[in-house]
């Protein structure tokens, strides 16, 4: 891949799809025009269709992959990002640190990034994002749930996550289960004072030789200071590779604005206005999404529950998908908006019966998420394509990634914010049926109760 324009400030890979749009939104709000791709873009594509952008991202699914699968996925991606020449290359992971030694290992991503970008410099790790209700204090991570901030290992959703339950809030200890790389900490006290003082403390910490450096983030002041330190390390020490949540972009954009490198574009986002009908699919088991579904069903949406077992087991999938398609089209024919959902709340979808049927069909239990996403993608393509809808919505991080790949969409740009981390986007696709469509993609924890309705109403 040819080296790209020096106008680019940042490139990134996100370990799930809604995380990808989260970063794109943070950059766009900071005045950095960004395009998100579903596969590594060529320099020719960027030059021909996206000249003038300041950042680009690649949407991925590594959060749902084993370490061996991550190695196969991230090898070509890191090669692309390395060749881009951007000062900062960001491996974006979920702000709730979803990971385990076996699935979505952040430790494995750090090892692969260290090999791809050189091990001479410690890898910065920044997870806190106050705009999203995520905070790191003395190495322990906290996340907002409803109106309450919970330590991560006591969070009502993340502590009971069906795939990557968080039983440890100290991110250093959590990482120690995934990698032998050493982790230093720029704690909340080290981040106090002026920028020069914090830079001196970081210099002393780096002299101790940590292989990763975790930055505490409690508020916007410390977030901006972290952005200044990250940019300084990237520009002065060629420390390009960074791991973290979209807090990385919020931090960098705050620093870039303060120093005049970028300026927010107040005309960038415009209200899109309402659509008469919206097709919505949820593969999330979050209680946040549960409340959103309940609100939507009380405000013009019609619910269609999805039997996960029938949709992912091969001998029933096609016939059952056809049934769901007809139900959704019938709802549209009645003038309502169909909302298909696989769960209401934090239910464990991996029942013993489902595991047994998956095994009998030659699939591992962990294949459920991929198969479900692929089937929901086919369903979305059939319904949206048949009905000619202009706007649709996908809830669930892993679900969003698989659905968009099934639709043949290769790129996205922000159209307007709906909720932090869940913007309405414009699609770029080779297939005319999906080129120029409007879609919202949200993770399970993203958005207020009226999110689905806000997307339908374009506000």
């Amino acid at each position: 891949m040819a080296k790209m324009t020096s106008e680019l400030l940042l490139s990134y890979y996100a370990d799930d799809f809604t995380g990808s749009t989260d970063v794109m939104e943070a950059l766009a709000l900071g005045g950095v025009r960004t395009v998100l791709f579903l596969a590594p873009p060529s320099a020719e594509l960027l030059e021909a269709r996206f000249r003038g952008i300041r950042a680009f991202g690649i949407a991925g699914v590594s959060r749902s992959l084993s370490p061996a699968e991550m190695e196969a996925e991230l090898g070509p991606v890191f090669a692309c990002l390395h060749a881009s020449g951007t000062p900062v290359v960001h491996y974006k992971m979920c702000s709730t640190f979803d990971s385990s030694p076996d699935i979505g290992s952040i430790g494995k991503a750090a090892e692969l990034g260290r090999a791809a970008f050189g091990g001479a410099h410690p890898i910065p790790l920044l997870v806190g994002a106050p705009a999203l209700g995520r905070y790191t204090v003395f190495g322990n991570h906290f996340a907002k749930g409803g109106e309450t901030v919970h330590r991560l290992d006591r969070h009502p959703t993340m502590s009971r996550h069906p795939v990557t339950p968080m039983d440890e809030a100290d991110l250093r200890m959590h990482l120690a289960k995934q990698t032998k790389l050493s982790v230093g900490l720029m704690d909340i006290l080290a981040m106090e004072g002026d920028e020069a003082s914090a830079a001196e403390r970081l210099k002393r910490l780096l002299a101790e030789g940590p292989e990763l450096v975790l930055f505490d983030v409690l508020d916007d002041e410390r977030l901006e200071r972290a952005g200044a330190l990250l940019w300084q390390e990237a520009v002065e020490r060629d420390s390009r590779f960074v791991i973290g949540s979209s807090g990385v972009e919020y931090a960098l954009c705050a620093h870039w604005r303060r120093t005049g490198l970028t300026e927010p574009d107040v005309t960038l986002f415009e209200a899109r206005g309402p659509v008469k009908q919206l097709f919505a699919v949820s593969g999330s088991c979050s209680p946040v999404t549960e409340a959103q579904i309940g609100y939507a069903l009380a405000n013009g949406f019609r619910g269609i529950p999805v039997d996960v077992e029938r949709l992912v087991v091969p001998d029933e999938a096609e016939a059952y998908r056809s049934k769901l398609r007809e139900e959704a089209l019938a709802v549209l024919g009645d003038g309502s908006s169909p909302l298909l959902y696989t769960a209401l709340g934090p239910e464990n979808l991996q029942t013993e019966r489902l595991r047994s049927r998956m095994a009998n069909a030659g699939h591992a239990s962990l294949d459920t998420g991929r198969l479900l996403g692929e089937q929901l993608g086919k369903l979305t393509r059939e319904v949206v394509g048949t009905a000619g809808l202009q706007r649709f919505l996908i809830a669930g991080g892993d679900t969003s990634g698989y659905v968009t790949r099934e639709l043949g969409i290769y790129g996205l740009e922000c159209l307007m914010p709906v909720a932090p981390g869940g913007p309405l986007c414009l699609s770029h696709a080779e297939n005319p049926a999906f080129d120029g469509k409007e879609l919202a993609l949200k993770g399970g924890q993203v958005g207020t109760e009226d999110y689905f309705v806000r997307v339908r109403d374009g506000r």
Side-chain angles (χ1 to χ4, degrees), residues 195-455:
E195 188 177 309
S197 299
E200 181 60 32
R201 296 185 194 108
L202 177 60
K203 181 179 178 180
R204 291 198 297 268
L205 175 61
L206 294 180
E208 298 173 8
E211 292 160 304
L212 295 98
V213 175
L214 174 64
F215 287 79
D216 271 3
V217 171
L218 177 63
D219 50 30
D220 289 337
E221 179 183 352
R222 291 178 178 85
L223 182 72
E224 194 275 333
R225 187 161 299 126
L229 295 174
L230 293 181
W231 188 242
Q232 175 183 300
E233 289 298 300
V235 172
E236 296 182 5
R237 292 166 52 88
D238 195 33
S239 180
R240 299 172 61 197
F241 187 68
V242 179
I243 297 176
S245 70
S246 58
V248 170
E249 281 69 31
Y250 284 111
L252 287 170
C253 284
H255 175 68
W256 291 337
R257 286 196 303 270
R258 184 174 64 82
T259 57
L261 187 59
T262 62
E263 294 183 5
D265 183 354
V266 295
T267 67
L268 182 63
F269 295 125
E270 298 180 359
R272 305 300 295 182
V275 291
K276 182 180 179 181
Q277 294 171 292
L278 181 77
F279 177 72
V281 172
S282 171
S284 168
C285 60
S286 161
V288 173
T289 306
E290 178 186 15
Q292 292 166 343
I293 292 172
Y295 187 93
L297 297 184
N299 288 275
F301 286 78
R302 192 179 304 175
I304 302 176
V306 175
D307 185 330
V308 173
E309 183 176 324
R310 295 179 65 188
L311 193 57
V312 301
V313 175
D315 60 358
E316 291 192 45
E318 187 170 349
Y320 184 56
R321 189 181 78 244
S322 178
K323 176 179 180 296
L324 292 172
R325 179 182 67 244
E326 294 309 311
E327 288 186 45
L329 291 173
V331 171
L332 289 168
D334 289 341
S336 297
S337 294
L339 197 173
L340 288 82
Y341 55 90
T342 60
L344 286 174
E347 303 169 5
N348 189 340
L349 302 179
Q350 297 278 25
T351 64
E352 285 302 321
R353 176 181 165 84
L354 177 56
R355 290 190 184 95
S356 176
R357 294 197 66 185
M358 290 286 286
N360 291 338
H363 293 286
S365 177
L366 294 175
D367 287 339
T368 303
R370 174 180 59 81
L371 294 172
L372 176 61
E374 290 173 353
Q375 289 295 334
L376 292 176
K378 290 182 173 70
L379 182 61
T380 301
R381 183 178 66 230
E382 292 163 357
V383 173
V384 173
T386 299
L389 299 176
Q390 177 59 24
R391 186 180 301 170
F392 58 98
L393 183 157
I394 309 297
D398 296 335
T399 302
S400 295
Y402 290 119
V403 167
T404 46
R405 289 186 179 188
E406 283 292 327
L407 299 180
I409 294 171
Y410 71 80
L412 296 170
E413 290 190 72
C414 273
L415 282 176
M416 60 169 281
V418 180
L424 185 66
C425 301
L426 175 73
S427 67
H428 297 284
E430 297 295 347
N431 182 350
F434 285 93
D435 190 44
K437 294 290 187 184
E438 299 176 0
L439 66 157
L441 304 147
K442 74 163 224 82
Q445 304 298 312
V446 168
T448 53
E449 187 178 51
D450 61 349
Y451 181 85
F452 286 67
V453 173
R454 286 172 61 86
V455 171

